[in-house]
Amino acid sequence: MAQLKTRPNGGNVQAFIANVAHEQRRADAEVLLTLFLKVSQRPAVMWGDSIIGFGRYEYSNQRGKHSWLLTGFSPRKQNTTIYIMQGFELFSSEIARLGKVKTARSCLYINRLENIDMQVLEQLLKKAVIDMRHRYTCY
């Protein structure tokens, strides 16, 4: 399970973004950094090699007690991935209005921020963070 391997570390978020090779992903990452800082009210922390996380939550399962990022994003080669940890069932209205995106279990894939409605993205992130804070112990 990737979550058990990916941990917060002392990596420099600004340096990571500055080194993103894809120019559009790098520019989008700067915009997302500002948005996530505003919405989460938590500092940006590198998780593993390529995820910028904001806050964390604790959960338990059969393997024990774990900690994972509350929300975050990663400027990847194919797209930018935004992490909505509880999935998208509660956010179908926002997803429908967001624009050109794809979703998987807890990942929202965006090719370019210019193809989505940034106000809707902000609403989605706010709702997701509030929901996670109600469900879990968050820091």
Side-chain angles (χ1 to χ4, degrees), residues 13 17 28-45 51-55 69-75 80-85 88 106-108 110 113 116 118 121-122 124-126 128-129 133:
V13 171
I17 292 173
D28 287 353
E30 290 289 349
V31 172
L32 289 173
L33 178 62
T34 300
L35 177 61
F36 275 80
L37 288 167
K38 175 184 171 185
V39 169
S40 71
Q41 297 293 300
R42 297 291 184 265
V45 174
I51 298 174
I52 302 169
F54 301 83
L69 58 104
L70 179 64
T71 190
F73 69 93
S74 181
T80 296
T81 304
I82 294 177
Y83 299 96
I84 306 294
M85 302 320 301
F88 300 98
S106 60
C107 298
L108 176 69
I110 298 173
L113 288 183
I116 65 165
M118 291 300 292
L121 178 60
E122 184 172 348
L124 169 64
L125 292 173
K126 284 179 182 177
V129 167
R133 288 181 175 149

Side-chain angles (χ1 to χ4, degrees), residues 3 16 29 34 55 90 104 108-110 138:
Q3 287 176 233
F16 169 72
T34 300
L90 299 174
L108 176 69
Y109 301 108
I110 298 173
C138 299

